[in-house]
């Protein structure tokens, strides 16, 4: 049973645009993790993990899930994303806000 | 006019979120009296038994619907004011003094309880699942000892708003500037499992807070929701080089389809060389600032409409992803989708916003200076000077 039910079909399309459109797959250079990345600008980054990717990341797996470090990003993945951006594999720029 | 944007208000959920909910400071329930807490479309009764344990049941007697919160604590049980039926913390009717026996089916809705960081938390799940200790918020080391000031605690009933409005603030970078008059310089979100975090660095807006000093206020804030309703906000405050560690708890209990009770508490790590009285004063001041901040939010919520299809610009935070995360608490456990709990990270680009805001603040300061130079005897300054310059998390 859904909870916050949209009353317009267009809302479903908005949900798709904002959550999954324009995601580019980036592979970590140090482990088997592959994540979806979107860059609306140089300073903006959106990273969508999957369960498989998350289980592949030794850096995040090391953290116990209770401490505050749990929320920090994986530095190796961030470096891999930077490399992918530098090499032109990830487009930079938003499309009408998404 | 097919290109006109329509606001989709949607329909609110038909249930209340699954998870741990905080009812207040544990010590506030320890006076041997029944306490009424409005929650989940009804009311709960909370009382302390002779062993010191706190018990939470549905607030209405299963006999004839009497209001247990107006009853009496007798021994370990809560006695109904209507016919003196005695209910135990395990949800069973223990005695009916005027009856030969208690009906076997005399069981009411009980809530699993736990004390965490000096606060009473209960587990709520419309599917009736066992409480999950793994989903509790973490213990805060040192809190509750002499290292920290005692919790301040405030309770604010909110009407005409669904509690998702409060949750949305986790990702709402720009509202901190416009609603709370603080100035975010760095903003990041991480969602994973039952946790949603906001990292923010901000400073006070010198143009809105009157005193020159607030330009020297810097905040590092890390705020995490553990489940649908309980947020811990760790704050490192730097005021004129004076460092303070503050912990803010921001939690709520849904009371109806468009109402909830907001509760928040503050504890401050006692700075070295400062006596308890001064530390308590600092704590009270922060509580007042956050209290004012919440009222600023409430004013917005009361006058806005619900929106299922927010239109975002590229400087906005991940509203849709946050709501996707929040949805996990409103569906049956079997219907939780991977994307609701998969890790998601988002760094907001504050560059453009900061450029524009710097200019706006400078213009406001220049205009104020000009007005003061004209001798506008302080008539315009008063309304802004009591605005809080600290607001985080929500």
């Amino acid at each position: 049973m859904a909870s916050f039910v949209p009353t317009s079909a267009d809302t479903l399309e908005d949900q798709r645009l904002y959550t999954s459109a324009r995601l580019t797959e980036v592979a970590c250079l140090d482990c088997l993790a592959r994540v979806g990345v979107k860059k609306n600008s140089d300073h903006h980054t959106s990273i969508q993990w999957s369960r498989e990717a998350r289980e592949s990341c030794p850096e995040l797996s090391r953290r116990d899930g209770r401490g505050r470090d749990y929320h920090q990003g994986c530095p190796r993945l961030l470096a891999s994303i930077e490399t992918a951006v530098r090499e032109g594999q990830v487009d930079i720029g938003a499309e009408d806000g998404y | 006019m097919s290109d006109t944007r329509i606001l989709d208000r949607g329909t609110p959920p038909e249930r209340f979120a699954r998870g741990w909910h905080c009812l207040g400071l544990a010590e506030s329930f320890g006076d041997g009296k029944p306490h009424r807490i409005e929650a989940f479309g009804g009311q709960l009764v909370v009382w302390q038994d002779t062993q010191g344990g706190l018990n939470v049941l549905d607030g209405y007697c299963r006999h004839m619907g009497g209001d247990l919160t107006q009853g009496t604590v007798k021994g370990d049980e809560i006695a109904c004011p209507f016919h003196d039926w005695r209910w135990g913390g395990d949800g069973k009717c223990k005695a009916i003094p005027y009856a030969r026996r208690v009906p076997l089916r005399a069981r009411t809705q009980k809530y699993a309880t736990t004390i965490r960081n000096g606060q009473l938390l209960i587990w709520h799940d419309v599917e009736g699942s066992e409480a999950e200790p793994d989903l509790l918020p973490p213990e805060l080391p040192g809190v509750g000892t002499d290292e920290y000031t005692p919790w301040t605690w405030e309770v604010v009933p909110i009407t005409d708003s669904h509690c998702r409005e409060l949750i949305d603030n986790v990702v709402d970078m720009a509202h901190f500037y416009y609603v709370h008059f603080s100035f975010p310089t760095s903003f990041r979100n991480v969602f994973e499992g039952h946790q949603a975090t906001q990292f923010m660095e901000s400073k006070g807006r010198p143009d809105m807070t009157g005193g020159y000093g607030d330009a020297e206020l810097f905040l590092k804030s890390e705020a995490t929701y553990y489940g649908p309703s309980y947020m811990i906000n760790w704050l490192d405050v730097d005021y004129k080089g004076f460092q303070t560690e503050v912990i803010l708890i921001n939690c709520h209990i849904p009371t109806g389809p468009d109402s909830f009770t907001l509760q928040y508490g503050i504890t401050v790590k006692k700075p070295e060389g400062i006596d308890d009285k001064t530390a308590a004063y600092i704590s009270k001041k922060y509580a007042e600032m956050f209290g004012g901040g919440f009222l600023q939010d409430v004013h917005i919520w009361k006058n806005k409409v619900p929106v299922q299809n927010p239109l975002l610009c590229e400087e906005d935070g991940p509203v849709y992803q946050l709501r996707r995360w929040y949805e996990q608490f409103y569906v049956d456990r079997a219907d939780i989708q991977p994307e609701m709990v998969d890790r998601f990270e988002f760094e907001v680009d504050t560059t453009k916003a900061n450029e524009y805001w710097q200019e706006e603040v400078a213009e406001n300061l220049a205009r104020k200076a000009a007005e003061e130079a004209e001798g506008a005897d302080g008539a315009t300054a008063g309304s802004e000077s009591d605005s809080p310059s600290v607001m985080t998390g929500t």
Side-chain angles (χ1 to χ4, degrees):
Chain A
M1 181 175 61
S3 60
F4 299 90
V5 184
T7 50
S8 159
D10 292 343
T11 301
L12 298 175
E13 175 60 4
D14 279 327
Q15 287 173 348
R16 189 192 68 78
L17 285 180
Y18 287 111
T19 60
S20 53
R22 297 185 50 242
L23 284 178
T24 305
E25 189 177 85
V26 172
C28 181
L29 299 173
D30 288 301
C31 76
L32 296 173
R34 305 173 83 84
V35 297
V37 173
K38 187 166 81 168
K39 295 227 15 130
N40 287 346
S41 67
D42 284 336
H43 288 94
H44 165 266
T45 312
S46 182
I47 306 172
Q48 180 63 62
W49 293 72
S50 64
R51 205 180 87 182
E52 296 72 40
R54 180 67 176 75
E55 285 169 355
S56 303
C57 178
E59 172 71 28
L60 294 183
S61 299
R62 249 196 307 279
R63 305 176 189 172
D64 70 359
R66 305 299 295 174
R68 290 165 64 183
D69 64 348
Y70 190 52
H71 310 297
Q72 307 294 333
C74 170
R76 293 190 182 86
L77 178 72
L78 294 179
S80 304
I81 292 173
E82 274 173 30
T83 303
V85 169
R86 213 165 35 241
E87 291 174 352
Q89 296 166 30
V90 179
D91 289 338
I92 295 183
E95 199 164 309
D96 201 29
Y98 67 84
Chain B
M1 293 289 284
S2 62
D3 55 352
T4 301
R5 184 87 184 169
I6 305 293
L7 275 180
D8 179 358
R9 298 191 188 191
T11 54
E14 292 167 5
R15 63 166 79 178
F16 299 103
R18 171 181 47 248
W20 290 99
H21 290 76
C22 175
L23 301 189
L25 291 183
E27 62 188 19
S28 66
F29 301 109
D31 58 0
K33 293 181 181 141
H35 292 259
R36 177 181 185 270
I37 299 281
E38 203 183 342
F40 314 124
Q43 65 173 21
L44 311 176
V45 60
V46 185
W47 80 98
Q48 190 178 52
D49 58 37
T50 57
Q51 277 81 53
L54 293 177
N55 305 283
V56 181
L57 298 182
D58 183 83
Y60 294 106
C61 183
R62 292 306 189 250
H63 175 220
M64 292 286 282
D67 183 350
L68 294 174
T69 71
Q70 294 179 13
T72 313
V73 177
K74 295 183 179 172
D76 288 331
E77 284 113 39
I78 179 75
C80 181
F82 201 178
H83 305 90
D84 202 27
W85 285 38
R86 315 283 177 86
W87 295 92
D90 59 0
K92 292 181 191 163
C93 180
K94 302 292 187 185
I96 306 168
Y98 65 87
R100 280 197 188 81
R101 54 184 67 91
V102 175
L104 291 172
R105 290 174 295 154
R107 285 164 187 264
T108 187
Q109 175 70 51
K110 69 164 195 278
Y111 292 87
T113 62
T114 196
I115 309 290
R116 183 64 39 127
N117 300 315
Q119 296 142 16
L120 172 63
L121 274 68
I122 62 166
W123 175 258
H124 171 265
D125 180 7
V126 290
E127 289 185 278
S129 68
E130 288 289 310
E132 291 209 36
D134 287 350
L135 300 182
L136 278 167
E139 303 263 15
L140 298 165
V143 168
T145 72
D146 199 42
E147 273 181 74
Y148 283 81
T149 59
W151 289 111
T152 65
W153 200 260
E154 301 295 332
V155 179
V156 188
I158 313 277
T159 53
D160 310 316
S161 312
H162 190 275
C163 49
R164 195 178 66 174
E165 302 292 351
L166 174 65
I167 302 291
D168 276 349
N169 283 355
V170 168
V171 294
D172 194 343
M173 188 274 291
H175 99 291
F176 285 103
Y177 178 87
Y178 293 103
V179 179
H180 300 306
F181 308 137
S182 78
F183 195 132
T185 51
S186 175
F187 196 96
R188 208 170 149 257
N189 291 112
V190 178
F191 314 139
E192 184 170 359
H194 73 299
Q195 302 181 20
T197 297
Q198 172 200 89
F199 296 91
M200 179 169 67
E201 293 179 18
S202 61
K203 53 190 182 184
R205 266 180 70 175
D207 59 327
M208 297 306 285
T209 49
Y212 163 77
D214 293 293
E216 294 184 71
L217 178 73
F218 295 91
L219 273 172
K220 264 190 196 172
S221 161
E222 186 182 322
T224 297
Y225 267 102
Y226 294 89
S229 72
Y230 187 95
M231 189 189 85
I232 302 177
N233 189 174
W234 289 272
L235 285 151
D236 293 329
V237 188
D238 181 324
Y239 183 56
K240 295 185 174 178
F242 185 74
Q243 318 271 339
T244 316
E245 277 183 54
V246 180
I247 299 176
L248 165 73
I249 300 297
N250 158 27
C251 58
H252 65 272
I253 313 158
T255 52
D258 64 347
S259 61
F260 59 99
T261 304
L262 173 71
Q263 302 202 4
Y264 60 93
I266 298 266
T267 182
V268 175
K269 190 170 186 186
K270 294 177 189 169
E272 272 184 43
I274 286 200
D275 62 83
D276 281 5
K277 204 176 144 198
T278 312
Y281 176 79
I282 293 173
S283 164
K284 184 167 153 273
K285 280 290 155 203
Y286 281 118
E288 282 169 8
M289 274 199 273
F290 281 101
F294 283 121
L295 292 182
Q296 293 167 330
D297 281 320
V298 169
H299 181 75
I300 296 284
W301 297 334
K302 272 190 175 298
N303 294 287
K304 76 183 287 297
V305 293
V307 187
Q308 297 299 324
N309 62 339
L311 178 64
L312 305 179
C313 66
E314 49 195 273
E315 278 72 21
D316 284 329
V319 182
Y320 284 85
Q321 287 88 345
L322 178 74
R323 290 176 169 194
R324 183 178 67 184
W325 168 84
Y326 190 53
E327 182 84 5
Q328 67 177 295
F329 307 113
Y330 288 86
V331 296
D332 284 355
R333 202 176 285 251
D335 294 333
I336 296 176
Q337 302 300 309
E339 62 267 23
M340 295 176 186
V341 289
D342 281 342
R343 186 180 177 91
F344 173 76
E345 303 175 35
F346 194 97
E347 173 99 36
V348 174
D349 184 353
T350 58
T351 319
K352 167 69 192 163
N354 277 216
E355 281 169 16
Y356 177 75
W357 290 340
Q358 292 285 14
E359 276 175 38
E360 189 171 70
V361 166
E363 281 168 20
N364 289 346
L365 289 174
R367 194 178 57 245
K368 263 188 187 173
E371 280 167 8
E372 275 165 29
E374 279 172 32
D377 58 6
T380 55
S383 63
E384 290 164 354
S385 59
D386 53 354
S387 303
S389 51
V390 177
M391 196 63 199
T392 54
T394 71

